[in-house]
Amino acid sequence: QVQLVESGGGLVQPGGSLRLSCAASGFTLDYYAIGWFRQAPGKEREGVLCIRRSGITIYYADSVKGRFTIFRDNAKNTVYLQMNSLKPEDTAVYYCATACTVVAVEESGSWGQGTQVTVSS
């Protein structure tokens, strides 16, 4: 079965850190660009950042520059989203997908279950 599974979310205080995982089964992640997306309550889903096959990172949300990074562990067939200096406005359900934009994901398939990140004191 081909699927991506997000994990690693939770409740964290402002200024804290979390590392989200996007694990693939049934295919090799290294062959794809992998994007992280998020959807906050009452807001549309948005792209956060994406790592291309070349390793180049694209930031779609200016608010996360300098705080979030994305990287691959090919041995584990997993892409990670390292989130530092978290802010309450980062609270959202986070999703990963084998595309860099919301439009591309919705044209090619469906979303996973996501992982909830809540930043609150």
Side-chain angles (χ1 to χ4, degrees):
Q1 184 178 4
V2 176
Q3 65 175 352
L4 290 172
V5 178
E6 305 94 338
S7 63
L11 173 64
V12 63
Q13 292 186 343
S17 297
L18 280 176
R19 179 177 292 181
L20 306 184
S21 299
C22 174
S25 61
F27 68 103
T28 302
L29 269 182
D30 191 33
Y31 295 157
Y32 296 86
I34 301 297
W36 278 100
F37 305 83
R38 65 185 180 185
Q39 187 166 23
K43 295 187 177 180
E44 293 187 352
R45 199 170 333 225
E46 65 173 354
V48 179
L49 68 172
C50 184
I51 184 167
R52 295 197 178 277
R53 291 185 61 189
S54 63
I56 293 174
T57 298
I58 303 171
Y59 285 89
Y60 291 96
D62 289 341
S63 63
V64 306
K65 288 182 179 179
R67 300 189 298 121
F68 290 13
T69 55
I70 185 172
F71 59 98
R72 300 177 182 268
D73 185 335
N74 293 332
K76 295 183 178 180
N77 208 24
T78 300
V79 171
Y80 298 96
L81 178 65
Q82 178 66 42
M83 306 186 296
N84 299 327
S85 302
L86 282 161
K87 303 176 181 180
E89 52 264 42
D90 295 319
T91 295
V93 179
Y94 284 72
Y95 304 85
C96 64
T98 55
C100 287
T101 66
V102 172
V103 171
V105 176
E106 295 183 345
E107 287 180 346
S108 64
S110 61
W111 297 96
Q113 85 287 352
T115 186
Q116 175 71 49
V117 172
T118 302
V119 185
S120 176
S121 55

